[in-house]
Amino acid sequence: MRSLFRCGILVLIIVSFVAIAGTAWTAGIRDTRHNLSSTAPTAPITRNIYSTNVDEICVFCHTPHSALKDGSNKTPLWNHTLSTQVYSLPTGATWPNLITTVKQPDLGSKLCLSCHDGTVAIGSLANLPGPGSTGSVFMVGVSGSGAMPPTAYGYIGINLSGTHPISVPVNNTLITAKNTACTPGSGKYSIVYPPSDPRVKLKPTNNTYNDGSNGFLKTTPAGVNYFEGVQCASCHDPHNNNTDFLVIPGIGTGPPSKYHGTTNWSNWSALCTACHSGPC
Ligand code: HEC
Ligand code: HEC
Ligand code: HEC
Ligand code: HEC
């Protein structure tokens, strides 16, 4: 069964790449800061971190051949060297109503953190463009080690304690616990499942809830089955051109906050209420 799942995933991903490469996605991502290539985005987008000699866009994250594995085969043909960092995680100290014991990031969120935790060189790829090339792409705007510098707007770093919980599974056990705690007047929030806006998606996680249970099992006709949870890509799509790559654009003008999720709730309300209902 497992290898069948894997085969299905690979086929789906390859088909998606063939279908999507060179079309709207390229156009969308080209005019963003995720265009790390030597071809500049159209004004007014400005970049600080980019290559001066590699003109391909997808290659900084994806490769059609010899993709990196994170032990799950759920990574989309990944090309960027993964981080081995152990992170500080959200706890009850910063999140008084948090019920889940948050575990280390896994799967999709590790892909984002491979650049955004600032420990891996942005140009460190499994496969360089061109046949058989190895090494690192030279990038401007990076730290001495080639990584995202702490001064960069996009820097998340290795302390995730103030960031919205990620790699947390969503299942009935959690939802029941949230609903039980969400008594009238408590001011707490319950969890909405499935997310009430289709732009917000639960993503694969293999992390388990406090009692050892997995997230809801998501099955698809293509046989791409996984356990559902919250990952970076539940709120962000790294290929779109909304501000901050959000899946639902913000409605407010508040300043960006490193503690995304703790402040400015009203600015991102449509995003938040896709998964949270309340306050009770
Ligand atoms: C800055 C990194 C980055 C770049 C550049 C990038 N991607 Fe992705 N891509 C990702 C990540 C991360 C995911 C996995 C998202 C998730 O967790 O669901 C992904 C997933 C995908 C998927 C799987 C379907 C999906 O939405 O999850 C496809 C197909 C894809 N990318 C195509 C492309 C193409 C084509 C390009 C070039 C035009 C490109 N990507 C450029 C980071 C990137
Ligand atoms: C290959 C490296 C790489 C990967 C992988 C990557 N990013 Fe980025 N990202 C960058 C760089 C470089 C910037 C620009 C940072 C800056 O200039 O401050 C950036 C900027 C951003 C920004 C700020 C937008 C802006 O306009 O400045 C967000 C939000 C973001 N990334 C989210 C994500 C998420 C979520 C993922 C995974 C789904 C991801 N990134 C994966 C390299 C990457
Ligand atoms: C629950 C939704 C949610 C999740 C999950 C989430 N983000 Fe964000 N993120 C936001 C919102 C909303 C903003 C814009 C407002 C702000 O900056 O607080 C943002 C802003 C950002 C920015 C811009 C700079 C900054 O710090 O504001 C980066 C980079 C970023 N996110 C990366 C990530 C990465 C990497 C992950 C996974 C480790 C992640 N996000 C998980 C909602 C989320
Ligand atoms: C994809 C679904 C999803 C989205 C979107 C989302 N959250 Fe969450 N959020 C969760 C889950 C699941 C938990 C873990 C709940 C727990 O264990 O108590 C959580 C936990 C929290 C917590 C700590 C626990 C609590 O109930 O107070 C806060 C605060 C929070 N989210 C705020 C936000 C804000 C603000 C936004 C919008 C920027 C947002 N969330 C968007 C799913 C989501």
Side-chain angles (χ1 to χ4, degrees):
M1 271 314 248
R2 269 190 96 91
S3 62
L4 257 183
F5 289 171
R6 287 181 182 171
C7 189
I9 289 162
L10 204 66
V11 167
L12 187 86
I13 289 170
I14 290 168
V15 168
S16 320
F17 260 85
V18 171
I20 290 167
T23 64
W25 281 32
T26 320
I29 200 171
R30 191 183 54 221
D31 288 337
T32 73
R33 287 189 176 171
H34 275 170
N35 173 359
L36 305 179
S37 79
S38 55
T39 310
T42 315
I45 304 293
T46 57
R47 305 174 301 172
N48 301 313
I49 300 171
Y50 52 89
S51 161
T52 49
N53 63 337
V54 171
D55 63 2
E56 292 175 37
I57 294 177
C58 312
V59 72
F60 290 94
C61 293
H62 302 290
T63 176
H65 306 293
S66 318
L68 294 172
K69 300 276 184 272
D70 63 358
S72 75
N73 280 9
K74 287 191 168 57
T75 48
L77 300 175
W78 197 246
N79 200 25
H80 194 264
T81 306
L82 292 170
S83 173
T84 55
Q85 184 65 43
V86 175
Y87 301 90
S88 302
L89 300 171
T91 64
T94 35
W95 305 86
N97 299 325
L98 180 65
I99 296 183
T100 306
T101 303
V102 180
K103 296 181 176 157
Q104 289 295 320
D106 77 343
L107 306 185
S109 293
K110 288 202 69 161
L111 306 184
C112 309
L113 289 166
S114 75
C115 287
H116 284 274
D117 78 359
T119 71
V120 181
I122 301 284
S124 178
L125 307 181
N127 301 292
L128 295 187
S133 338
T134 53
S136 254
V137 178
F138 171 79
M139 308 292 293
V140 299
V142 293
S143 71
S145 67
M148 193 180 286
T151 47
Y153 172 76
Y155 180 82
I156 294 289
I158 62 174
N159 181 354
L160 302 179
S161 65
T163 283
H164 188 281
I166 50 152
S167 306
V168 288
V170 173
N171 64 20
N172 273 328
T173 326
L174 169 68
I175 291 171
T176 304
K178 293 300 279 184
N179 288 350
T180 307
C182 205
T183 51
S186 64
K188 295 185 178 180
Y189 288 78
S190 57
I191 298 290
V192 180
Y193 179 86
S196 59
D197 187 303
R199 289 172 289 182
V200 176
K201 295 184 178 66
L202 294 173
K203 291 279 177 173
T205 180
N206 290 332
N207 282 349
T208 50
Y209 182 62
N210 309 356
D211 64 357
S213 55
N214 288 108
F216 286 113
L217 179 64
K218 174 85 171 179
T219 59
T220 69
V224 186
N225 296 353
Y226 56 87
F227 299 115
E228 293 183 298
V230 180
Q231 300 283 17
C232 309
S234 299
C235 297
H236 298 278
D237 177 347
H239 314 94
N240 76 19
N241 52 13
N242 292 336
T243 302
D244 285 331
F245 300 109
L246 291 172
V247 293
I248 302 181
I251 55 170
T253 53
S257 151
K258 288 292 176 191
Y259 303 99
H260 51 266
T262 51
T263 56
N264 295 337
W265 179 297
S266 56
N267 285 350
W268 327 108
S269 59
L271 176 62
C272 313
T273 56
C275 292
H276 293 280
S277 116
C280 302

